[in-house]
Amino acid sequence: MSAESDSPLRVAIVTGSTRPGRKSETIARWVHDIAAKRDDATFEIVDIAEYALPLFDEPIPPMAGLYANPHTNKWAATVASFDAFVFVTPEYNRSTTGALKNALDYLYAEWNNKAAGFVSYGINGGVRATEHLRLILNELQVATVRASVALTMAEDFQGFTDFTPRESQEDSVGKTLDQVVAWGNAMRLVRAPAMSA
């Protein structure tokens, strides 16, 4: 058994927006507060705004794993350290944000054979952002779980601005985390041959 499988599963709660006045930071903290009650994994907020990634500027495609820029290497080290992810994303024009898409595009191997779940928000719960992310993550060899959280501006935000989630949404977070943890552990076994090679 590998040292990785003996250590607690590490799950990143990734903020999907970098704009001023964003809601993703508040929602990520809410998800983290719920997750912190669990004892089956460790959870950490990863704020993509802190990495200040410019529009993708690597001269060699990420599949090669030959990163030229310090900001890329810093981002790669962070992503590589996690077993699974929960992406907190608003919906912009029937998709996720450009900032999150850019952060995903920077790397390849660091995402491979890991698990992911989604907490989306928007007028219609941000569900189209989640569906688009599923397609992107499939190409990055990330296993996405079926359960997800969809926060609507009318029902989970007071006056469409202040985040006041319905009580039932905590149950949705729990179900999503249940699947992320289960699949995160399963994907460790998928990665094990590569780790021992």
Side-chain angles (χ1 to χ4, degrees):
M1 187 168 290
S2 69
E4 182 186 50
S5 63
D6 292 336
S7 61
L9 191 81
R10 299 192 72 236
V11 181
I13 301 167
V14 183
T15 61
S17 174
T18 59
R19 74 173 183 84
R22 61 191 173 147
K23 306 283 190 294
S24 63
E25 190 177 14
T26 299
I27 296 169
R29 286 198 302 269
W30 170 70
V31 173
H32 186 269
D33 288 345
I34 296 169
K37 300 171 187 175
R38 304 173 66 101
D39 61 6
D40 54 358
T42 62
F43 299 87
E44 182 179 328
I45 294 174
V46 173
D47 187 351
I48 60 173
E50 294 179 0
Y51 292 82
L53 295 169
L55 283 175
F56 182 67
D57 63 351
E58 285 291 326
I60 299 173
M63 262 190 199
L66 301 172
Y67 305 132
N69 297 308
H71 53 261
T72 310
N73 282 294
K74 180 181 177 185
W75 178 233
T78 296
V79 172
S81 73
F82 289 97
D83 302 295
F85 308 91
V86 175
F87 293 99
V88 178
T89 180
E91 181 177 319
Y92 288 0
N93 299 316
R94 294 177 175 262
S95 186
T96 190
T97 67
L100 181 52
K101 175 66 164 64
N102 188 53
L104 291 168
D105 288 345
Y106 257 93
L107 310 175
Y108 182 69
E110 293 80 4
W111 299 116
N112 290 177
N113 297 321
K114 296 180 180 179
F118 307 97
V119 176
S120 61
Y121 58 100
I123 296 298
N124 297 307
V127 295
R128 293 172 295 195
T130 290
E131 290 309 303
H132 198 180
L133 279 170
R134 289 186 192 279
L135 293 173
I136 297 164
L137 291 167
N138 180 65
E139 187 64 21
L140 294 171
Q141 299 188 56
V142 177
T144 63
V145 304
R146 183 180 185 278
S148 63
V149 183
L151 303 163
T152 67
M153 301 307 291
E155 296 178 293
D156 296 301
F157 293 82
Q158 188 173 14
F160 291 83
T161 55
D162 296 328
F163 182 52
T164 51
R166 288 166 284 167
E167 286 186 16
S168 61
Q169 294 291 21
E170 184 166 345
D171 185 55
S172 297
V173 173
K175 289 176 180 176
T176 300
L177 294 178
D178 286 345
Q179 293 186 9
V180 167
V181 170
W183 278 89
N185 281 313
M187 297 308 289
R188 276 182 158 183
L189 299 178
V190 176
R191 294 198 306 276
M195 297 291 292
S196 60

